[in-house]
Amino acid sequence: MAHTHDHSHNHAHDHSHDHSHGLGHHHHPVNLKDVNQAFVIGIILNFAFVVIEVIVGLSIHSLSLLSDAGHNLADVASLAMSLIALRLLKVKATEKFTYGYKKTTILVALLNAAILLLALGAIGYEAVYRLIDPQPLPGKTISIVAAIGIAINALTAMLFFRSKDSDLNVRSAFLHLLSDAIVSAALVIGGLVIFYTQLFWIDAALSLLVAIIILFSTWQLLRDSLRLSLDGVPAGIEIRKVRDTIARMAGVKDFHHIHVWAISTTENALTAHLVVDSDCTMEFVEQLKHKIKHELLHLNIQHATLEVEMEDAPCDEPDCREAH
C-alpha cells in the first residue's frame, strides 16, 4: 500500500512537468521574443516622452503635464520591472528555488500596483491645491505635448495587444499604456479649452482625472497580483469546476484535497488526492493520471501532482476525513 502512495506521487510530478511543457504553452502561448521587444521599445519611447513632459511642464508650470509625466514614469518603471520578471521566468530551477524565480512575475505586478497608487496620492494632493489657486498656462503647448503622448502610448499599447491575455504583466503593461493614451487625449482637449477660454483651473481638474484613471486601471491589477502572491486560486479557475470535471471521468471514485495556486503570472499548479477502485492495476492508475493531467491543461493548470488513494483505504489527513 505504501508503495502505491509513494510511486504515484513521484511519478505524477515528473510526468506533469514533461507533459505541461509539451501542451501548456499550446493553450496559453507567450512569445517571449515578441514581448521582450515590445517592452524594450515601450521603455525607450515612454522614457523619451517623460523627459519631454517634464521639460515642458516645468517651463510652463503645467500640473497636468507634470502629473502625466509622473504617471508615465511609473509606467516606464513598471515596464522595466515586468521585463526583468519575464526574463527571470527563463532562469532554471535550483535546489534552493525549486520553481526557479517564476514568482517574481507576481511580486513585480504587485509592486507596480503599489507604485501607481503612491503616484495617485501625490497627484491628487497637488491638484486640489491648484484648483484653489489656478495659474495662467499656454493651452496650445499642453495640447501639442499631449498629442505626442497619444501617438507614443497608442503605438506601444498595440505592441502588447496580441499577448495581453497570456500574462498578468503583459496585460498590466497594455492597460497602463492604453490608459495613458486616454489621459493624453483628455489633456489635448483640456489644452484647447484653456487656449480658447482661459479657464486655467481645467489643468488641475485634468490632473484629478488622471488620478481617477490610474485608480481604476490599478485596482484590478492590485487585486489580482495580491491574490496570486497569497497563493490564492488564479482568476478563471474554479475549484468546483475542476473537482466536477475530474470526478466525472471514468475510473475516478473521488477527487479531493485540491490546492491550486500560481507559480508565475502564466503557469498554475495543482495538488490533489485521487481516489480509485481498490482492484485497479498500477498501469490503469498511470493511464488515468495521464488523462487527468491532459484535462487539467484545458482548465489552465500546467503542473499537477496527484496522490493516489484506494477506495477501501482512504488517507487519514483532516481534509480527507472531511471529504469522506
Side-chain angles (χ1 to χ4, degrees):
M1 188 62 236
H3 175 74
T4 308
H5 180 93
D6 290 17
H7 178 80
S8 78
H9 186 87
N10 294 335
H11 185 84
H13 189 81
D14 295 344
H15 178 78
S16 148
H17 187 77
D18 296 334
H19 190 66
S20 75
H21 279 282
L23 288 165
H25 296 290
H26 173 71
H27 294 291
H28 294 269
V30 184
N31 189 327
L32 281 178
K33 191 182 172 189
D34 285 358
V35 169
N36 247 340
Q37 199 176 21
F39 273 115
V40 171
I41 294 168
I43 289 165
I44 293 166
L45 287 177
N46 279 274
F47 187 71
F49 182 55
V50 166
V51 172
I52 293 167
E53 279 193 309
V54 169
I55 292 167
V56 177
L58 287 172
S59 64
I60 67 170
H61 308 293
S62 167
L63 179 63
S64 62
L65 282 183
L66 288 172
S67 61
D68 194 44
H71 182 199
N72 281 313
L73 186 60
D75 279 354
V76 169
S78 145
L79 289 172
M81 287 188 294
S82 296
L83 177 62
I84 292 164
L86 285 170
R87 291 267 173 93
L88 286 172
L89 264 180
K90 297 183 191 173
V91 177
K92 287 188 165 56
T94 65
E95 286 193 5
K96 288 197 186 299
F97 294 92
T98 54
Y99 281 126
Y101 298 101
K102 292 178 178 180
K103 199 97 174 184
T104 52
T105 54
I106 295 167
L107 298 176
V108 162
L110 182 63
L111 187 59
N112 285 346
I115 288 169
L116 282 171
L117 286 175
L118 283 172
L120 179 80
I123 292 167
Y125 174 80
E126 188 66 24
V128 171
Y129 178 75
R130 285 287 186 94
L131 271 173
I132 298 163
D133 184 24
Q135 303 293 317
L137 298 159
K140 192 191 282 187
T141 310
I142 294 171
S143 291
I144 292 166
V145 173
I148 297 167
I150 295 175
I152 288 174
N153 288 309
L155 175 69
T156 46
M158 286 305 106
L159 295 174
F160 294 103
F161 183 76
R162 207 188 320 163
S163 307
K164 70 178 172 25
D165 295 324
S166 59
D167 179 87
L168 192 64
N169 278 301
V170 177
R171 187 177 59 143
S172 80
F174 174 75
L175 287 174
H176 285 175
L177 292 164
L178 197 62
S179 70
D180 289 351
I182 294 165
V183 169
S184 293
L187 295 186
V188 169
I189 296 163
L192 291 172
V193 171
I194 289 168
F195 179 70
Y196 287 110
T197 65
Q198 306 296 299
L199 297 172
F200 300 120
W201 59 266
I202 284 171
D203 186 65
L206 282 171
S207 60
L208 274 179
L209 179 68
V210 173
I212 292 163
I213 289 170
I214 297 172
L215 181 64
F216 277 104
S217 66
T218 306
W219 192 252
Q220 181 74 32
L221 177 65
L222 181 68
R223 210 176 61 180
D224 286 353
S225 53
L226 188 61
R227 184 176 70 240
L228 295 187
S229 62
L230 292 171
D231 285 340
V233 178
I237 296 176
E238 293 175 39
I239 295 286
R240 187 186 298 145
K241 187 180 176 186
V242 171
R243 185 189 294 114
D244 292 349
T245 303
I246 305 306
R248 277 200 302 269
M249 292 175 70
V252 178
K253 293 294 178 186
D254 193 19
F255 195 68
H256 60 265
H257 204 350
I258 303 165
H259 297 278
V260 180
W261 71 98
I263 298 171
S264 72
T265 48
T266 53
E267 291 177 275
N268 302 314
L270 168 145
T271 58
H273 287 197
L274 168 66
V275 182
V276 297
D277 210 322
S278 49
D279 58 6
C280 282
T281 63
M282 187 62 77
E283 188 183 2
F284 175 82
V285 170
E286 295 304 327
Q287 285 174 351
L288 180 58
K289 286 194 297 187
H290 185 89
K291 288 176 190 168
I292 287 170
K293 280 163 192 166
H294 187 77
E295 200 60 47
L296 289 171
L297 280 172
H298 291 285
L299 297 170
N300 196 20
I301 295 167
Q302 292 80 13
H303 297 259
T305 303
L306 304 173
E307 195 166 294
V308 176
E309 295 173 27
M310 295 301 169
E311 197 176 19
D312 60 355
C315 82
D316 58 357
E317 289 181 36
D319 286 1
C320 293
R321 283 204 298 271
E322 285 168 27
H324 291 300

